[in-house]
Amino acid sequence: MNADYSHQKEARYAEWVIRWRWPIMIACVLLALAAASGGRFLAFSTDYRVFFGEENPQLIAFDELQNTYTKIDNILFVLENRSEDAFASETLSAVEELTEQAWQLPYSIRVDSISNFQHTRSERDDLIVEDLIEDGVAYTDEKRAAVRAIALDEPLLKDRLISSDASVTGINVTLQMPEKTMDEVPIATAAAREMARHIEQRYPGIKVHLTGVVLLNNAFMESSMNDMSTLVPMMYLAIVVMMFLLLRSITATIGVMIVVTLSIMTAMGLAGWSGIKLTPPSSAAPTIIMTLAVADGIHMLISMISVMRHDMDKRAALKESMRLNLQPIFLTSVTTAIGFLSMNFSDAPPFHDLGNIAAVGVMAAFVYSATFLPAFLAVLPVKASAATGRYGRAMDSLADFVVKRHSPLLWGGIALSVVIVSMIPRNEFNDQFLEYFDDSMAFRMDSDFAIERLSGIYQIQYSLPASEAGGISDPKFLTKSQHFVDWLRSQPEVTHVNTLNDTFKRLNKNLHGDDRGWYKLPDQRDLAAQYLLLYEMSLPYGLDLNNQINVDKSKTQVIATLKELDTTELKAFARKSEQWLAENTPAIATTGIGPTIMFAYIVDRNIKGMFKGTLTALVLISMLILLALKNVRIGFVSLLPNLLPAGLAFGLWGLFVGQVNMGVTMVVGMTLGIIVDDTVHFLSKYLRARREQGFGTEAAVRYAFSSVGIALVVTSLILIGGFAVLGQSSFGMNAGMAQLTMIAVIMALAADFLVLPPLLMWLDRGRDMRASDVGKTIQSGSSVSAE
């Protein structure tokens, strides 16, 4: 009785949609336009710190450090001379010119280079502080050699602004962003690129490479814009081509694409209204929505066209399709939305945004598929292509294969799955924020060059505390900090250490007649304090020591530049350095901080968050399936094909890739809702055959293949195609996430076709509701007409 009442409601709803088709279409378009008007509020975030939640302990520590010392937001110009001589006349001239121009960069507060390095020397009893290079183009060979020797002997320059072989030099510009508008980073980046082009034009033998934190921030924005401008059109084209080839119906293709467009307009517009700032992860939302929005329409259209092939008129076929599909489409939309909403458990806010936008888009797609699409199809002509008939016969053949070989398929599939799943431990949770960008981006190429030829961009900052104000001049503190500096420099992972101690040593030498024997730390506090005061008073504007000491001189910053390390190695080094401080110099013990460390720990935090999110999504989705299917036993059976694909995907990933980054950790929760779709549709048709038609197990399996198999193949192909397109993203997180999701979708289709039916047949043996001759009747492929 309940089933009949449900069918009556669905039939009345279908009648209502067809009767009011024009008002419904107009209302849907107006609704989408109203939501889309919020798109004017969308903006791209240009700060890498958006990847860290407000309560992230590494972010809190980093912000405190940024408030203590000069911020490290920088642009690094790396100058490469074809002659590979950083002290050639042309290079020195370019360095001086670019150093002077760099002060004019928007938001620039400091410029450091070999030319304006404040070289100190003694002249009788005076301390002379002056630029290391002035009018270098006029230098003789002897003068260039002398300057070269000084630069390569200076710890503050070597392997930081001049390579150890003197072939490459850098100009580091520190910027202070007001953080009042969203275009500050693009403005600074554009100005820096223009300066680089100007230098390359004036000095043909020089190539300028750009890297640094500001370029990193800009790369996030450029990656988002590139993906939206290239991947979305690619996806539109791919969907149109695949749908037309599979359905051979222009009307059906146009109708689904309108639904896709309305869904994207609604989701992105509401994101704008809610104040979401786009980032590389959230900018993938249109591509994902486009991929998922197609599925609802496909199920509606496949059923409609299949019924039309059995001599039913279009409107009657449309009503029958709505009766068959509204409930499973609604259920799959809700479960998919739940899967995406589980991304709110991530420790990275951009993935919250992606999950929320995608969830809204999925539900919008259901609304438009249940209203606009049938109204649209009721207005325009739709033909039943003979191609769908051929696909139907292919499904019948597959059903024959599965039914006849269900036992070896079940146990063989389980055995193979165990082997593949056992590969999951081969995955290592490693990440490198530089590898978030592929080689097509200038930032990645220039950063790789800088790391290889000059200095790394992976840094750890240590704020060493003295006992009191002015305590950084205390010889005891200097000695302890020097022990730590010496330890850092002895580590194979470290390429450079920036410390105030080197300045103290140089000043001590200068004020003892430049005697090399006095190149050591001062042994008297008042003397060290006088040295520091005298030096600070001699420094020009903009080149003070605020990047190394705090206001009351109770803390000093030591920055270790590291080789290109992965997440595991970075965390291991950070722990090793903190342990060394705690054991050897506990009075100045501190923790390593910086963007490098923040990104190193975000993967671990993300995994913990997504474990909770996935578990929550699994419970909610399982409860919904149990309620919808009204069969506890079948509901629990559905868990295997729902969970297995993710396990198989991660097993294959461990076998062939083995590296899991932050984006990949999102896949289980995200794909759980997507994977459930195929299982729900197959089980709903299976149970409909058992309950309404009284079919036996084999006949019900054949019916499910015949009625929904084509739709599952088509939607899976579109999902695979959509995520294959997203897998071409220049942003590594999105690419890895898409590639693993694509594997999961393939595994899901295989599980629902080759494992689920045999499992149902094994569990339902002896429970047949009809005589075996019913199954023989169904073998002819007449299941749709029987429905």
Side-chain angles (χ1 to χ4, degrees):
M1 182 175 178
N2 290 336
D4 292 339
Y5 177 69
S6 176
H7 295 163
Q8 291 173 8
K9 286 197 303 181
E10 292 163 351
R12 286 197 301 270
Y13 175 75
E15 287 279 1
W16 178 81
V17 171
I18 294 174
R19 178 183 304 168
W20 299 99
R21 53 194 178 278
W22 284 106
I24 286 174
M25 285 192 291
I26 294 171
C28 287
V29 173
L30 291 177
L31 175 65
L33 289 174
S37 64
R40 66 185 186 276
F41 301 117
L42 286 174
F44 289 94
S45 175
T46 56
D47 189 348
Y48 65 87
R49 287 182 293 184
V50 298
F51 282 90
F52 309 95
E54 293 180 357
E55 298 181 359
N56 185 290
Q58 284 80 37
L59 176 63
I60 294 172
F62 181 65
D63 285 340
E64 182 180 348
L65 189 76
Q66 293 279 74
N67 293 330
T68 302
Y69 307 98
T70 301
K71 289 188 176 182
I72 62 168
D73 293 346
N74 73 310
I75 295 177
L76 178 64
F77 295 84
V78 181
L79 276 63
E80 174 191 15
N81 194 315
R82 291 177 183 173
S83 66
E84 296 197 347
D85 183 4
F87 291 93
S89 296
E90 182 185 39
T91 309
L92 293 181
S93 179
V95 168
E96 287 189 89
E97 182 175 339
L98 187 52
T99 299
E100 183 177 353
Q101 290 180 359
W103 287 102
Q104 306 304 316
L105 269 177
Y107 320 116
S108 171
I109 60 171
R110 183 186 181 101
V111 180
D112 291 285
S113 71
I114 58 172
S115 66
N116 74 346
F117 174 72
Q118 296 305 289
H119 175 56
T120 57
R121 58 184 176 85
S122 65
E123 194 170 286
R124 295 191 179 91
D125 294 331
D126 296 328
L127 176 68
I128 306 300
V129 182
E130 59 188 359
D131 289 350
L132 178 60
I133 299 171
E134 292 182 276
D135 194 21
V137 70
Y139 282 2
T140 62
D141 291 343
E142 291 77 13
K143 179 64 174 177
R144 285 200 302 273
V147 170
R148 175 191 177 112
I150 292 172
L152 292 178
D153 191 49
E154 176 52 57
L156 291 176
L157 293 179
K158 185 181 177 184
D159 293 325
R160 176 171 172 256
L161 295 178
I162 185 72
S163 60
S164 57
D165 61 357
S167 63
V168 174
T169 186
I171 299 171
N172 189 64
V173 185
T174 305
L175 297 93
Q176 183 80 51
M177 299 294 184
E179 299 182 1
K180 294 181 179 180
T181 63
M182 297 298 298
D183 60 354
E184 293 168 0
V185 167
I187 287 173
T189 300
R193 287 172 173 169
E194 182 57 35
M195 285 185 182
R197 281 192 292 268
H198 173 74
I199 291 297
E200 289 177 341
Q201 289 173 357
R202 278 185 49 83
Y203 303 93
I206 290 179
K207 169 69 175 174
V208 181
H209 305 266
L210 287 170
T211 185
V213 173
V214 174
L215 271 295
L216 169 65
N217 285 334
N218 191 74
F220 281 120
M221 184 196 69
E222 285 189 340
S223 178
S224 302
M225 297 181 68
N226 289 342
D227 282 0
M228 293 189 72
S229 63
T230 58
L231 299 186
V232 172
M234 285 173 59
M235 192 59 228
Y236 260 107
L237 179 61
I239 289 178
V240 169
V241 171
M242 284 190 290
M243 284 193 59
F244 182 75
L245 291 177
L246 293 167
L247 299 177
R248 302 298 176 90
S249 171
I250 296 177
T251 302
T253 302
I254 293 174
V256 173
M257 293 314 299
I258 293 176
V259 168
V260 168
T261 303
L262 295 178
S263 302
I264 294 175
M265 289 169 59
T266 301
M268 300 307 293
L270 292 177
W273 282 115
S274 62
I276 289 177
K277 296 177 181 177
L278 293 180
T279 56
S282 59
S283 67
T287 306
I288 292 176
I289 293 171
M290 194 183 314
T291 303
L292 298 173
V294 174
D296 295 347
I298 289 293
H299 284 284
M300 196 84 73
L301 287 165
I302 292 289
S303 295
M304 176 182 169
I305 293 173
S306 296
V307 174
M308 288 174 64
R309 285 195 299 105
H310 291 83
D311 299 325
M312 187 179 288
D313 68 84
K314 184 187 72 173
R315 289 197 176 183
L318 181 56
K319 293 177 185 178
E320 179 67 2
S321 177
M322 293 178 71
R323 185 183 77 82
L324 290 172
N325 291 293
L326 274 180
Q327 184 186 29
I329 286 175
F330 174 72
L331 180 60
T332 56
S333 297
V334 172
T335 55
T336 301
I338 289 174
F340 278 103
L341 289 174
S342 71
M343 298 173 78
N344 282 279
F345 285 85
S346 167
D347 197 58
F351 287 104
H352 303 177
D353 298 335
L354 172 60
N356 294 334
I357 296 173
V360 170
V362 166
M363 294 312 300
F366 165 75
V367 172
Y368 295 128
S369 295
T371 54
F372 179 90
L373 183 60
F376 180 84
L377 295 174
V379 171
L380 296 180
V382 179
K383 293 183 179 180
S385 170
T388 56
R390 292 195 298 272
Y391 301 147
R393 289 190 292 274
M395 281 296 108
D396 290 340
S397 298
L398 179 59
D400 286 338
F401 172 79
V402 172
V403 168
K404 291 177 181 178
R405 295 170 176 79
H406 65 275
S407 185
L409 281 174
L410 176 61
W411 302 115
I414 291 175
L416 180 61
S417 298
V418 170
V419 173
I420 295 176
V421 170
S422 68
M423 298 292 106
I424 291 178
R426 293 171 60 93
N427 287 299
E428 295 182 1
F429 297 102
N430 280 329
D431 218 349
Q432 288 181 314
F433 68 81
L434 189 58
E435 293 186 358
Y436 291 167
F437 310 97
D438 67 17
D439 293 341
S440 68
M441 299 198 67
F443 168 74
R444 171 66 187 274
M445 300 296 291
D446 287 349
S447 296
D448 284 343
F449 177 85
I451 291 173
E452 180 183 355
R453 298 292 301 276
L454 180 60
S455 179
I457 62 174
Y458 292 83
Q459 295 183 332
I460 301 183
Q461 301 160 254
Y462 302 89
S463 181
L464 304 182
S467 58
E468 57 185 341
I472 61 171
S473 300
D474 187 339
K476 293 181 180 179
F477 172 81
L478 290 173
T479 300
K480 292 175 182 177
S481 63
Q482 187 60 44
H483 288 330
F484 179 54
V485 169
D486 291 340
W487 179 84
L488 285 174
R489 286 175 172 163
S490 69
Q491 302 307 301
E493 302 95 335
V494 178
T495 61
H496 182 265
V497 179
N498 189 13
T499 172
L500 184 65
N501 288 11
D502 293 328
T503 300
F504 272 117
K505 292 179 182 179
R506 178 158 44 86
L507 292 173
N508 196 34
K509 181 194 72 170
N510 296 147
L511 295 173
H512 284 83
D514 282 335
D515 185 346
R516 188 69 185 178
W518 285 93
Y519 186 77
K520 59 184 179 180
L521 293 172
D523 54 9
Q524 298 179 39
R525 177 169 178 166
D526 57 346
L527 194 61
Q530 290 175 20
Y531 288 168
L532 192 59
L533 177 62
L534 180 62
Y535 181 63
E536 285 186 290
M537 292 176 62
S538 304
L539 291 174
Y541 176 79
L543 294 178
D544 52 45
L545 298 178
N546 291 341
N547 61 333
Q548 292 182 297
I549 58 179
N550 65 342
V551 175
D552 67 354
K553 296 180 173 58
S554 62
K555 295 179 181 178
T556 183
Q557 180 173 223
V558 173
I559 302 177
T561 303
L562 310 177
K563 296 177 180 178
E564 190 173 3
L565 305 178
D566 62 33
T567 298
T568 302
E569 294 167 333
L570 281 169
K571 290 187 294 184
F573 180 85
R575 286 193 295 267
K576 182 171 64 173
S577 64
E578 291 163 8
Q579 182 178 357
W580 190 95
L581 279 169
E583 293 177 353
N584 296 275
T585 56
I588 62 169
T590 187
T591 57
I593 305 169
T596 297
I597 293 298
M598 291 159 63
F599 278 105
Y601 279 96
I602 191 67
V603 175
D604 290 344
R605 295 177 61 83
N606 220 46
I607 291 170
K608 294 176 182 177
M610 285 312 300
F611 177 78
K612 297 177 184 177
T614 302
L615 187 61
T616 302
L618 177 62
V619 171
L620 292 175
I621 290 173
S622 300
M623 290 174 61
L624 281 173
I625 293 176
L626 289 172
L627 290 172
L629 298 179
K630 299 176 183 178
N631 188 314
V632 175
R633 183 170 51 85
I634 296 297
F636 279 111
V637 167
S638 71
L639 293 178
L640 178 62
N642 289 341
L643 294 175
L644 185 59
L648 294 174
F650 270 98
L652 291 172
W653 193 265
L655 185 63
F656 295 107
V657 181
Q659 298 294 312
V660 174
N661 62 26
M662 182 162 56
V664 171
T665 62
M666 311 302 302
V667 168
V668 176
M670 185 184 77
T671 58
L672 184 60
I674 299 174
I675 290 168
V676 167
D677 292 6
D678 289 355
T679 306
V680 167
H681 280 289
F682 194 95
L683 288 176
S684 69
K685 299 301 185 292
Y686 174 82
L687 290 175
R688 188 179 292 273
R690 297 281 284 173
R691 291 168 178 167
E692 296 181 15
Q693 314 246 2
F695 289 167
T697 305
E698 289 188 9
V701 166
R702 294 178 189 276
Y703 173 83
F705 269 104
S706 178
S707 59
V708 81
I710 299 172
L712 295 186
V713 171
V714 173
T715 55
S716 295
L717 287 176
I718 290 175
L719 283 170
I720 292 166
F723 284 104
V725 170
L726 184 58
Q728 306 307 308
S729 170
S730 59
F731 187 64
M733 280 189 193
N734 290 353
M737 179 176 65
Q739 291 161 8
L740 187 56
T741 301
M742 183 174 63
I743 297 173
V745 171
I746 295 172
M747 294 296 102
L749 185 64
D752 285 317
F753 276 178
L754 302 178
V755 176
L756 179 59
L759 184 60
L760 291 171
M761 295 176 67
W762 181 71
L763 289 172
D764 271 356
R765 64 191 187 281
R767 294 174 178 266
D768 284 353
M769 301 167 62
R770 288 271 182 95
S772 60
D773 62 327
V774 175
K776 297 176 181 178
T777 303
I778 296 304
Q779 291 182 28
S780 63
S782 61
S783 56
V784 176
S785 60
E787 175 69 4

